[in-house]
Amino acid sequence: MDWLTILVLWIHVIFIVVWLGSDFVVFSLSWSLMNRDLPIDVRLDRAKLAQKFDMWVTKVFLSTPIIGLALSWLRWRSLEPLIILPWMNIKLILFSIILLLAILLITGAAGTVGVLQSIKDGNGDEEENEALLTKRVKDLAYPAITLHILLALIIIITLVGSRMGTPMMEGGW
Amino acid sequence: MWILKVFWIEMIIFPIILVYLFLDVSNKSGLQIAGLIMYAIVFFSAIAGYLYTWNKKKKD
């Protein structure tokens, strides 16, 4: 493997770690928004912080498929192995579920800061707003947890599959 | 936000690339057919998701 391929491979690995790590931070911050013992200003700050972190998650997430395609091209001078190798097929199928969950999260995530701002400003019924906030956080928790599990599975498949694929394609990674 | 525009563009273009690559294979295996179906679903979901958020923004 040449140095450029190794460099891109490491960027790919580091980005996945950053994605997984930042996503845990966003998840933890979002979950704490339901804690009514915390002052509303703290909850609002946490919501804004989660939103900022989420932008980094989105950037890293969006770079992953592009780097993956580039990596395939650098390693094999073709995108065909992505389709031919069975372990890569499984990885791509799991990644397609992650893409579907990402679409779901992006379309459903907006508005949390707005709900907390309404609670702070006293707009509308407080209990109704709290219930709306709890529902929103819990509804988004399921896809977020599934996404983490899928990502962990993809990492395992990559580590195992890249070794198993060695005799199939003139060397795995 | 620019990153959301990039998100929708990528959610549409990436599945197109993969659907093309899967379609290009003759004698598809079960996994390849599953991949083809999944990325077709991602493509249509991305279009639906974009239209949903676009409509939501328009209403707001």
Side-chain angles (χ1 to χ4, degrees):
Chain A
M1 254 195 286
D2 60 301
W3 65 270
L4 184 64
T5 312
I6 294 169
L7 180 73
V8 176
L9 176 63
W10 273 104
I11 291 172
H12 195 48
V13 172
I14 290 165
F15 272 28
I16 297 292
V17 173
V18 171
W19 175 11
L20 203 55
S22 306
D23 228 12
F24 273 121
V25 175
V26 173
F27 185 78
S28 168
L29 283 170
S30 302
W31 199 257
S32 74
L33 298 179
M34 294 187 295
N35 184 359
R36 295 178 72 169
D37 293 335
L38 290 170
I40 187 66
D41 283 328
V42 173
R43 291 164 75 196
L44 199 54
D45 274 351
R46 285 187 182 191
K48 285 175 185 168
L49 197 61
Q51 216 174 33
K52 275 190 183 164
F53 253 102
D54 214 20
M55 282 301 111
W56 284 105
V57 174
T58 311
K59 281 171 195 164
V60 173
F61 159 71
L62 288 176
S63 66
T64 308
I66 298 166
I67 294 174
L69 291 178
L71 205 48
S72 170
W73 187 261
L74 284 169
R75 179 69 181 98
W76 294 301
R77 297 283 175 244
S78 161
L79 297 179
E80 231 179 30
L82 294 176
I83 309 301
I84 292 169
L85 293 171
W87 66 270
M88 202 59 105
N89 284 170
I90 298 170
K91 201 177 140 177
L92 281 173
I93 291 168
L94 293 178
F95 191 69
S96 70
I97 304 171
I98 289 183
L99 294 181
L100 286 171
L101 291 171
I103 291 169
L104 190 74
L105 285 166
I106 287 280
T107 48
T112 312
V113 174
V115 176
L116 278 163
Q117 193 66 53
S118 297
I119 294 170
K120 188 188 174 185
D121 297 342
N123 293 336
D125 183 51
E126 192 183 330
E127 286 307 313
E128 248 177 48
N129 280 333
E130 288 286 356
L132 181 67
L133 180 78
T134 306
K135 189 182 178 303
R136 192 163 281 182
V137 171
K138 282 188 176 168
D139 281 354
L140 293 175
Y142 300 113
I145 291 168
T146 314
L147 199 145
H148 288 151
I149 294 168
L150 289 170
L151 203 51
L153 274 174
I154 286 178
I155 292 168
I156 294 166
I157 289 166
T158 308
L159 291 173
V160 176
S162 58
R163 286 174 193 278
M164 283 168 62
T166 306
M168 294 162 71
M169 283 298 296
E170 240 189 84
W173 290 110
Chain B
M1 259 182 288
W2 66 270
I3 192 73
L4 291 177
K5 281 181 190 141
V6 176
F7 175 85
W8 290 117
I9 291 168
E10 198 172 314
M11 287 306 108
I12 290 167
I13 291 175
F14 186 66
I16 290 174
I17 295 170
L18 281 160
V19 164
Y20 170 75
L21 290 172
F22 277 117
L23 280 174
D24 210 28
V25 179
S26 51
N27 298 323
K28 292 175 195 58
S29 68
L31 281 174
Q32 287 165 339
I33 293 169
L36 178 64
I37 294 168
M38 284 308 292
Y39 280 94
I41 293 171
V42 172
F43 173 72
F44 289 115
S45 303
I47 290 175
Y50 174 74
L51 290 174
Y52 173 78
T53 46
W54 186 69
N55 264 333
K56 206 165 126 182
K57 211 186 272 176
K58 222 170 117 185
K59 271 183 199 167
D60 293 342

